[in-house]
């Protein structure tokens, strides 16, 4: 068993033992993530890990996500934010995001060099596999925009 | 002699008052018309054990075949009963269930489950007079099992993987198909501005939809300061809703766009709905929900009022679970 698998098992254990019912206390606060000038490209929900994510991007990032040919231009900025989710305390059958788990960012630089950074927390596995940096970037950049009128 | 005359006078005054009260009591019986009888156009279909609960606890108000007690029909009690029944039928009517789509049936059943689970329905004032109407814990469980059976979390079929009916490159072109700014019957206008607002939360609703909820600056400030009672005028919250679609990683991504739902705070304009103007614009054509301005009073506010008074009537304020910085 390699170290990735051990980390993965550890994460799964914590998630499985964590109660989905949330406890709000005055020691905590309600946060609204500030994406600055970035807008939402799309969102996703992982029902196994009970997480929700939003991919934000600037105009160049949005255009490249829309284009889906895999070509990138300098100046694209992506931010991928992941949250733990919980049952909504006010409506049985609904879930809502809770603790902020991770913030990752991707900058496309001159010559399409890609700069990937973890700003906060740790990324979770995809389909049970911890991705290496290059795979992780590919996974994030694969997201296509949500359809909105 | 004088004393007995006084007593006699007092007696006759009391008797006169009594006669007057009885007469008034009889007269007020004719002041108001009885509850309007309406035809049963499409009865709800559900398992017998669920129907039995609904019939006993909900039908008096939420159907066209109320089985009211004799005292419910006597004024002035009958006036309050009539008002409740009229309002209840507007929100949900088991005798006119045939008008609902399968999705609406499912949505209504989830709302029913949440109302009885939270003890908000039947209304306390109704339960006080009709103690038999109380929904027991085991009956809530019966309803819960039925509701879950309607929404089994089936994995999306392989044909649905990571696709939409429209390819992404065509999405932006579709924006031009709407000529006029859509307007809800209560005056809430659609605006594209929410796309530049901050995301206040995300949510899913059973296996039916996934949502991203945006708030304008006034709403974000209200959340950060927990200024919910009341929310400040000018606050706007917009929820974009998509169907759930599973991708190759077993994750759920937004599929077809379903609707955007607006809540606009204006305490003067929207008095009858706790100061919130509700609107829903559906499909790519952003078709407004509701035939008249009354639609929000007859639908939206019922659940918001009963279940989320704590947050100033919003279901999706961010949870208070993150450390202060």
């Amino acid at each position: 068993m390699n170290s990735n698998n051990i980390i993965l098992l550890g994460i799964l254990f914590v998630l499985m033992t964590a109660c989905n019912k949330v406890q709000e206390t005055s020691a905590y606060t309600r946060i609204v993530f500030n994406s600055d000038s970035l807008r939402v490209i799309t969102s996703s929900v992982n029902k196994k890990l009970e997480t929700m994510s939003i991919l934000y991007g600037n105009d160049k990032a949005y255009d490249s996500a829309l284009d889906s040919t895999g070509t990138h231009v300098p100046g694209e900025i992506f931010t991928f934010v992941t949250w733990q989710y919980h049952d909504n305390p006010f409506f049985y059958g609904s879930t809502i995001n809770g603790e902020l788990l991770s913030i990752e960012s991707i900058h496309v630089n001159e010559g399409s060099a890609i700069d990937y950074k973890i700003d906060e927390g740790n990324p979770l596995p995809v389909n049970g596999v911890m991705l290496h940096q290059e795979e992780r970037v590919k996974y994030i950049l694969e997201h296509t925009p949500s359809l909105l009128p | 002699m004088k004393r007995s005359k006084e007593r006699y006078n007092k007696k006759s005054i009391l008797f006169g008052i009594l006669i007057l009260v009885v007469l008034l009591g009889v007269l007020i019986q004719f002041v108001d018309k009885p509850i309007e009888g309406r035809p049963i156009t499409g009865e709800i279909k559900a398992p017998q054990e669920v129907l039995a609960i609904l019939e006993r606890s909900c039908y008096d108000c939420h159907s066209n075949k109320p089985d009211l007690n004799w005292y419910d029909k006597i004024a002035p009690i009958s006036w309050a009963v009539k008002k409740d029944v009229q309002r209840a039928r507007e929100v949900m009517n088991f005798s006119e269930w045939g008008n609902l789509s399968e999705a609406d049936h499912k949505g209504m059943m989830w709302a029913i489950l949440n109302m009885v689970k939270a003890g908000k329905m039947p209304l306390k004032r109704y339960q006080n007079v009709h103690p038999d109407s109380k929904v027991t814990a085991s009956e809530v469980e019966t309803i819960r099992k039925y509701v879950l059976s309607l929404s089994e979390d089936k994995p999306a079929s392989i044909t649905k993987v990571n696709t939409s009916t429209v390819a992404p490159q065509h999405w932006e072109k579709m924006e031009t198909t709407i000529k006029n700014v859509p307007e809800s019957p209560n005056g809430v206008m659609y605006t594209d501005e929410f796309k530049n607002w901050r995301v206040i939360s995300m949510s899913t609703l059973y296996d039916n939809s996934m949502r991203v909820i945006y708030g304008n600056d006034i709403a974000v400030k209200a959340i950060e300061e927990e200024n919910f009672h009341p929310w400040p005028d000018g606050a706007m919250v917009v929820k974009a809703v998509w169907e759930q679609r599973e991708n190759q990683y077993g994750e759920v991504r937004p599929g077809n766009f379903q609707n955007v739902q607006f809540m606009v705070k204006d305490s003067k304009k929207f008095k009858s709905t706790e100061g919130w103007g509700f609107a829903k614009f559906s499909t790519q054509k952003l078709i407004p929900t509701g035939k008249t301005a009354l639609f929000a009073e007859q639908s939206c506010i019922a659940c918001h009022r009963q279940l989320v008074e704590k947050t100033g009537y919003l279901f999706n304020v961010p949870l208070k679970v993150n450390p202060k910085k």
Side-chain angles (χ1 to χ4, degrees):
Chain A
M1 186 178 275
N2 65 30
S3 61
N4 273 348
N5 286 342
I6 293 169
I7 293 167
L8 177 60
L9 276 178
I11 291 167
L12 284 178
F13 179 75
V14 169
L15 289 174
M16 281 163 72
T17 51
C19 182
N20 198 270
K21 283 240 160 45
V22 68
Q23 195 63 47
E24 293 181 317
T25 74
S26 56
Y28 292 100
T29 188
R30 303 176 198 274
I31 57 168
V32 178
F33 179 73
N34 188 353
S35 61
D36 293 319
S37 57
L38 305 185
R39 62 166 155 158
V40 176
I41 294 177
T42 189
S43 57
S44 75
V45 177
N46 189 320
K47 293 189 180 182
K48 291 183 198 104
L49 300 177
E50 297 183 351
T51 61
M52 291 174 172
S53 303
I54 286 198
L55 178 66
Y56 295 92
N58 60 1
D59 287 348
K60 283 182 177 175
Y62 188 90
D63 289 343
S64 94
L66 196 63
D67 172 49
S68 69
T69 57
T71 50
H72 294 278
V73 296
E76 291 173 17
I77 301 172
F78 296 87
T79 300
F80 192 66
V81 186
T82 303
W83 309 76
Q84 193 71 61
Y85 74 69
H86 297 277
D87 291 336
N88 188 315
F90 301 112
F91 200 91
Y92 177 77
S94 180
T95 62
I96 180 167
N97 60 312
E99 298 87 350
L100 178 64
L101 294 179
S102 64
I103 304 171
E104 300 159 80
S105 59
I106 294 170
H107 289 247
V108 179
N109 298 324
E110 287 305 319
S112 294
I114 285 171
D115 181 20
Y116 168 80
K117 211 164 79 225
I118 298 171
D119 298 323
E120 201 168 318
N122 290 299
L124 291 172
V126 175
N127 215 3
V129 181
M130 285 304 287
L131 301 179
H132 295 294
Q133 186 170 315
E134 204 176 314
E135 295 163 332
R136 185 77 189 166
V137 169
K138 187 170 169 276
Y139 161 77
I140 293 173
L141 296 183
E142 261 175 18
H143 286 69
T144 52
S146 302
L147 177 57
L148 266 181
Chain B
M1 188 73 181
K2 206 178 169 189
R3 194 169 277 178
S4 76
K5 201 177 177 185
E6 267 176 21
R7 205 178 291 156
Y8 177 79
N9 277 346
K10 259 189 193 169
K11 261 189 183 172
S12 53
I13 289 167
L14 276 175
F15 186 69
I17 290 172
L18 190 71
I19 294 282
L20 208 66
V21 169
V22 171
L23 265 174
L24 259 174
V26 173
L27 274 175
I28 62 171
Q29 304 309 317
F30 302 99
V31 169
D32 203 7
K33 284 182 192 164
I35 296 167
E36 176 205 5
R38 282 160 64 161
I40 295 159
T41 55
E43 199 72 33
I44 179 174
K45 289 188 178 69
Q48 194 45 48
E49 64 271 23
V50 175
L51 286 179
I53 302 165
L54 301 179
E55 280 171 11
R56 197 196 73 232
S57 300
C58 320
Y59 262 53
D60 272 356
C61 299
H62 288 284
S63 82
N64 294 347
K65 45 179 187 182
D67 182 19
L68 296 171
N69 291 326
W70 61 268
Y71 48 80
D72 291 321
K73 296 171 188 164
I74 293 177
I77 299 170
S78 64
W79 300 345
V81 170
K82 186 181 171 187
K83 206 175 152 200
D84 278 350
V85 170
Q86 281 172 339
R87 179 167 228 166
R89 282 176 177 175
E90 281 164 0
V91 173
M92 188 179 72
N93 191 335
F94 293 114
S95 304
E96 294 171 16
W97 206 259
N99 304 337
L100 298 182
S101 67
E102 201 182 319
D104 286 345
H105 167 77
K106 201 162 102 171
M108 281 288 190
M109 286 310 303
W110 276 97
I112 291 167
L113 171 63
N114 272 280
M115 287 291 213
V116 295
K117 201 166 175 283
K120 299 289 184 185
M121 280 287 163
L123 293 174
K124 276 280 170 304
R125 61 173 182 272
Y126 177 81
Q127 277 190 44
N128 290 339
V129 195
H130 304 85
D132 291 353
S133 68
K134 191 176 170 12
V135 181
T136 65
S138 75
E139 288 171 333
V140 171
E141 188 55 22
T142 303
I143 296 173
R144 192 183 73 90
K145 281 191 180 138
Y146 169 58
V147 173
L148 286 179
S149 78
L150 296 174
S151 301
E152 274 177 68
D153 221 349
K154 302 175 196 88
S157 79
I158 198 79
T159 53
K160 277 184 164 185
V161 168
N162 217 14
T163 60
S164 184
T165 49
V166 188
Q169 13 331 9
H170 299 299
W171 293 353
E172 294 226 314
K173 288 177 195 160
M174 293 174 72
E175 287 179 25
T176 55
T177 57
I178 298 159
K179 284 177 189 145
N180 301 316
V181 179
E183 183 181 352
S184 178
N186 57 355
V188 174
M189 304 286 290
Y190 172 82
T191 171
D192 243 355
E193 279 172 31
F194 71 88
K195 294 174 186 173
N196 300 317
W197 297 346
R198 278 158 77 175
V199 172
I200 61 169
S201 60
M202 277 173 276
S203 73
T204 61
L205 192 58
Y206 30 103
D207 59 351
N208 195 46
S209 61
M210 58 190 291
R211 299 94 168 281
V212 172
I213 300 121
Y214 301 79
N216 67 358
D217 287 347
I218 300 172
V220 168
K221 189 161 176 270
I223 290 165
E224 287 172 344
E225 294 172 356
E226 290 204 30
N227 187 16
F228 303 149
H229 300 286
W231 279 67
D233 277 2
M236 282 178 78
V237 173
V238 174
K239 177 162 70 186
V241 184
W242 296 269
E243 68 177 23
Q244 296 183 11
R245 208 160 263 195
E246 196 171 283
N247 72 0
Q248 69 268 39
Y249 305 119
E251 298 165 343
V252 178
R253 296 266 174 93
N256 285 335
F257 167 79
Q258 292 184 334
N259 58 65
V260 271
Q261 300 171 22
F262 283 52
M263 280 180 76
V264 179
K265 187 70 203 294
D266 185 332
S267 53
K268 288 193 187 78
K269 197 172 171 188
F270 304 114
K271 263 186 192 152
S272 61
T273 45
E274 312 294 352
W276 286 103
F278 292 84
K280 182 159 130 184
F281 304 98
S282 298
T283 77
Q284 286 288 329
K285 290 183 176 154
L286 296 170
I287 299 160
T289 288
K291 289 190 179 88
T292 69
L294 289 173
F295 82 96
E297 267 177 72
Q298 294 165 353
S299 54
C300 320
I301 194 63
C303 282
H304 287 258
R305 186 184 280 138
Q306 295 290 340
L307 298 173
V308 275
E309 198 276 331
K310 199 178 165 191
T311 62
Y313 310 108
L314 267 81
F315 279 101
N316 292 303
V317 295
L319 296 175
K320 199 172 180 174
V321 292
N322 282 287
K324 290 174 181 166
K325 281 191 177 171

